[in-house]
Amino acid sequence: MITGPQCRAARALVEITRGKLTIRSGVDEAVIRDFEHKLDEPDDRTIAALQAALEELGAVFIDENGGGIGVRRKFTESEAKRIARLEGEGGIVANDRVP
C-alpha cells in the first residue's frame, strides 16, 4: 500500500493534477488532498484505486528495501534501450564538476 507522500510524489512525476487523478481513480479530490497531507488515511480500496491510476500513468512505487520507500517513473522500452546504449558508450572517465 502506498503512503500519502508517495501519492503526492507520483502525481508530480507523472504530471497530473489532483482533479485529473480524481477523474481517473474515482476518488474525491478532498480525500486525495487529505491523504497526501497525512490528515486522513482512506480505506485500502481507495488507496488501491489511487495506486492503480498512478501506475497506469507511469509511476512505479518502491517498497521499503533498506533505503526507504519511494516512487520513480517507469521508462518505456524505447527509453530503456536508449539509456542502455548511452550507458554502454564508454569513454574517458572524468570529473563531472563544472568550473
Side-chain angles (χ1 to χ4, degrees), residues 21-75:
L21 182 56
T22 292
I23 294 166
R24 292 188 74 105
S25 67
V27 177
D28 187 76
E29 190 170 346
V31 172
I32 298 170
R33 182 192 65 238
D34 290 348
F35 177 51
E36 289 180 347
H37 292 288
K38 298 185 188 180
L39 299 174
D40 192 21
E41 183 78 18
D43 60 41
D44 289 348
R45 187 176 52 204
T46 301
I47 295 172
L50 291 170
Q51 182 172 346
L54 289 164
E55 286 173 342
E56 187 179 295
L57 292 165
V60 176
F61 294 96
I62 303 164
D63 294 327
E64 176 64 51
N65 61 2
I69 61 172
V71 64
R72 68 175 178 81
R73 189 162 182 193
K74 175 174 42 179
F75 294 112

